[in-house]
Amino acid sequence: MPFVERLYQGQLWGEHPLVSLYAVRLHLHSCMGPDTHDWASLVVYEAFPSNLADQLEELRYWQARRAQEGALRRIEALVAEGDGGTPLRAMPDARDRYEAGLRDVEAMSARLPTEGPYALECAGLRAAGQKRIAQAAFQMAVARGVPDGESDRLLAECINRLESARAGYWSATKSFLGPSLEPVRRKANLHWLLGQVLSLDVVLGRPLDAALLTAARLAAEIDLESPRDEERAWACVSLSELALLRLAEPNMTTAERARHAEESIANASRFIEMLPADNGDCLWIEYGDPSRPGRILIDCGAVSAARTVASRIESIGAPSERVFELFVLTHIDADHINGVLPLFGHPSLNARFEDIWFNGWHQVSQFLGVKQGEDFSKLLEDPARSLPWNRAVTLKGEKYPAPMVLPSDKPPPTFELPGGLRLTLLSPGADQLKRLGREWRQVLLQLEPGKAMLGRKRPPPPVTDFAKFDLETLARKAGTKDTSVANGSSIALLAEFDEHAILLTGDAHADVLAKSITALQQARGRKNEKLKLDALKLSHHGSVNGTTGELLALLDCQRYLVSSNGNIFYHPDREAMARVILDGGKRPTLCFNYRSPLNELWDAPELKARYDYRTEYPPEGQAGLRVPL
């Protein structure tokens, strides 16, 4: 028992194992009398990892951080409720219990590292602890029944703690910007530290420092370009907070306040998530007010994706509450439709979608004979379900929903969704739907990927010499036009919100997209201008024919999304990736929702250094990728 107590006490706090064992030997030896066996005669065969020091440093940081958080939560719960629902102020020993809680917080905060790579973040965490204690003191001060003298003392403590918190954040900020001999310093974010300094200035009644506000915003905008999801997410949080802080300026007009409030909301909730859907697509998009965001779902390419989506839907609101403004089934290929019937097989989804866009049996005439497309059409037509279908284009009184199709003599049509999202249809055209109707037997074959593709496509050879791996040759390799009937019928959309845009291509043909984009820009008075995008979901999972130089030349984009695990069709094709890297703008970013033996080629440092591009993959052992916009 003494052995276990002393050893694990040290280990749980990140003490070096040899130090813990030495302390155990001394402890055991001191416990034994002179006539007993020396149980402190321990023999240790040690084998530690080479990065043990880094592991211990990280462990000490996390354990101290958890300990401080636990102590803060205990004192907050004590202040809010006391024991058994009795408010702390009504307890005879209230002050003593509060003081004991404060000592506990201070003891745990003292364990936070004061040097090394976590030092700056821990300085901020200690300041955060002071801020939360100030809140607890304020709650006690304004509670009913507190004597005036005690209330004044608690309010003074609140102010002092806020001043201490501000000083702590400011000290960490100066350390962040000042010289340092440490090789790693950026565990904390400058915009977080500055944001806290500015927030406390507002709370303490001081004017906003314009220089600090500008520096914080610049730091957050730089972190928006980080390859790490977490850093970009925190940058969005900081930008939202900084926009809200501007509302505290005394001379700001009502219009300026409204603009900054909208800016805060826009930064808070805007992303596209490529859910793991095997070799297919399942895209979850959110935008707008974070307390009630707008959502659209595009395709459901695997049964496993259907389970993920259904589970998320069940966790959002009441069963009768709308979750999605729109569901789009782009076309009837298996890698886009396989999970749709399992997902919509639940009657509980009846009220969860405002509209469903899909070109089914009646939209492509009597020639459509693909079973999964027929089954989904029948499901949508079931009067007992009352599911919406192409509501955006169907006139009241029409027997069947109208098709989602480009007009032959007008610019691409645009649709406004609740919450301010604007969708512009870029594919399919009437010719593509007519061909689908005529050649349904070919489409039926394409729903069986093993028969359609494996016999005539082999995986690319491994790259053994990166010095000889020439992207220019790959990018300029002549491609062939995509002749897939199903791909040609794909619904493709330009989604725009708050001056941000993403191109959601499904498997649409590159020439159809290029023609629609050219027509759209001309209709908008931007002829010969590139279409500015935050992200492009590569058509047909990054196939060689879906991403052409002609299409990329029409776009101003730096982030390219690939949704596929690479199975069956071995996507993305190297030629398409080479074109994106060379023609996709300055320092493009390739985003994958799987890390596969096929696509991890693009994470090679040699290639990224030579061609100046970036990559994003899911965390190790996971699939799916969320991309903030």
Side-chain angles (χ1 to χ4, degrees), residues 202-417:
V202 169
V203 171
L204 291 167
R206 298 167 183 166
L208 278 177
D209 188 313
L212 295 187
L213 191 67
T214 301
R217 186 175 182 85
L218 176 61
E221 289 174 347
I222 290 173
D223 273 5
L224 283 177
E225 300 178 3
S226 168
R228 296 182 63 240
D229 288 347
E230 186 177 6
E231 284 189 1
R232 292 198 307 276
W234 281 116
C236 288
V237 171
S238 288
L239 287 171
S240 299
E241 292 179 343
L242 295 172
L244 289 174
L245 284 173
R246 292 290 303 277
L247 301 178
E249 294 184 2
N251 298 323
M252 185 176 291
T253 66
T254 302
E256 289 174 328
R257 291 180 188 276
R259 179 169 58 83
H260 286 295
E262 290 172 359
E263 180 183 348
S264 169
I265 291 173
N267 283 319
S269 179
R270 188 174 57 238
F271 68 81
I272 176 173
E273 184 171 2
M274 297 184 287
L275 295 175
D278 294 344
N279 61 309
D281 279 2
C282 185
L283 309 178
W284 181 299
I285 300 168
E286 291 195 9
Y287 62 93
D289 185 347
S291 65
R292 192 177 179 83
R295 302 182 184 90
I296 63 174
L297 181 69
I298 299 182
D299 291 327
C300 196
V303 174
S304 58
R307 291 193 291 266
T308 300
V309 172
S311 176
R312 284 194 183 183
I313 291 175
E314 290 174 359
S315 68
I316 300 174
S320 60
E321 184 179 345
R322 187 186 74 231
V323 172
F324 289 98
E325 272 54 55
L326 177 66
F327 171 69
V328 181
L329 178 56
T330 59
H331 62 300
I332 56 176
D333 258 356
D335 54 359
H336 294 253
I337 197 175
N338 272 348
V340 170
L341 290 177
L343 175 63
F344 280 86
H346 301 284
S348 60
L349 293 181
N350 288 356
R352 304 297 240 173
F353 295 86
E354 182 70 20
D355 201 358
I356 297 171
W357 291 1
F358 168 61
N359 286 325
W361 170 269
H362 295 291
Q363 286 71 35
V364 297
S365 186
Q366 71 275 16
F367 300 104
L368 176 61
V370 179
K371 184 179 185 303
Q372 287 163 303
E374 289 182 6
D375 290 345
F376 190 47
S377 297
K378 292 175 182 177
L379 189 151
L380 292 177
E381 292 173 344
D382 183 355
R385 298 292 300 274
S386 298
L387 290 167
W389 187 1
N390 289 1
R391 182 180 289 172
V393 294
T394 304
L395 298 176
K396 188 175 182 180
E398 290 187 2
K399 184 177 181 181
Y400 297 112
M404 301 300 303
V405 62
L406 291 168
S408 58
D409 56 347
K410 296 179 182 178
T414 296
F415 309 90
E416 295 284 344
L417 267 59

Side-chain angles (χ1 to χ4, degrees), residues 331 333 435 442 446 481-489 509 540:
H331 62 300
D333 258 356
R435 189 178 172 206
Q442 180 180 344
Q446 290 175 344
K481 185 177 179 180
D482 189 350
T483 58
S484 167
V485 179
N487 290 350
S489 71
H509 289 171
H540 201 201

Side-chain angles (χ1 to χ4, degrees), residues 11-313:
Q11 292 302 281
L12 287 172
W13 284 110
E15 188 175 60
H16 194 289
L18 293 181
V19 173
S20 296
L21 287 167
Y22 180 74
V24 166
R25 295 180 70 171
L26 292 179
H27 181 56
L28 291 178
H29 189 73
S30 67
C31 294
M32 303 301 158
D35 300 327
T36 62
H37 180 73
D38 187 357
W39 283 97
S41 302
L42 302 179
V43 178
V44 178
Y45 299 90
E46 58 94 356
F48 297 134
S50 59
N51 66 338
L52 177 63
D54 292 338
Q55 290 189 30
L56 292 176
E57 192 168 45
E58 183 177 10
L59 176 62
R60 285 192 288 269
Y61 158 72
W62 278 111
Q63 291 294 73
R65 179 172 175 172
R66 293 183 184 111
Q68 184 202 40
E69 178 65 21
L72 285 167
R73 288 189 179 186
R74 286 191 293 273
I75 199 170
E76 287 166 347
L78 187 67
V79 169
E81 298 181 8
D83 285 342
T86 302
L88 181 66
R89 61 183 179 277
M91 299 178 187
D93 57 347
R95 188 67 200 175
D96 292 341
R97 298 176 66 120
Y98 176 69
E99 293 291 345
L102 292 182
R103 289 193 295 272
D104 191 24
V105 170
E106 291 169 1
M108 296 303 103
S109 297
R111 285 187 172 272
L112 289 165
T114 56
E115 56 186 25
Y118 297 96
L120 290 180
E121 183 171 358
C122 289
L125 291 174
R126 280 189 289 272
Q130 292 293 317
K131 188 170 62 173
R132 288 168 66 174
I133 293 173
Q135 173 72 11
F138 179 80
Q139 286 180 266
M140 293 181 66
V142 299
R144 291 183 180 179
V146 177
D148 290 342
E150 179 68 3
S151 178
D152 291 343
R153 192 195 64 76
L154 287 167
L155 287 173
E157 180 184 347
C158 172
I159 296 298
N160 290 335
R161 296 278 185 179
L162 290 175
E163 292 283 6
S164 178
R166 202 270 185 196
Y169 283 123
W170 181 239
S171 175
T173 300
K174 291 191 293 183
S175 297
F176 190 103
L177 294 171
S180 173
L181 299 177
E182 296 174 14
V184 180
R185 301 182 60 216
R186 294 217 48 194
K187 298 295 184 183
N189 294 309
L190 178 61
H191 50 82
W192 168 57
L193 296 170
L194 281 172
Q196 295 301 312
V197 170
L198 290 164
S199 297
L200 286 164
D201 280 344
V202 169
V203 171
L204 291 167
R206 298 167 183 166
L208 278 177
D209 188 313
L212 295 187
L213 191 67
T214 301
R217 186 175 182 85
L218 176 61
E221 289 174 347
I222 290 173
D223 273 5
L224 283 177
E225 300 178 3
S226 168
R228 296 182 63 240
D229 288 347
E230 186 177 6
E231 284 189 1
R232 292 198 307 276
W234 281 116
C236 288
V237 171
S238 288
L239 287 171
S240 299
E241 292 179 343
L242 295 172
L244 289 174
L245 284 173
R246 292 290 303 277
L247 301 178
E249 294 184 2
N251 298 323
M252 185 176 291
T253 66
T254 302
E256 289 174 328
R257 291 180 188 276
R259 179 169 58 83
H260 286 295
E262 290 172 359
E263 180 183 348
S264 169
I265 291 173
N267 283 319
S269 179
R270 188 174 57 238
F271 68 81
I272 176 173
E273 184 171 2
M274 297 184 287
L275 295 175
D278 294 344
N279 61 309
D281 279 2
C282 185
L283 309 178
W284 181 299
I285 300 168
E286 291 195 9
Y287 62 93
D289 185 347
S291 65
R292 192 177 179 83
R295 302 182 184 90
I296 63 174
L297 181 69
I298 299 182
D299 291 327
C300 196
V303 174
S304 58
R307 291 193 291 266
T308 300
V309 172
S311 176
R312 284 194 183 183
I313 291 175

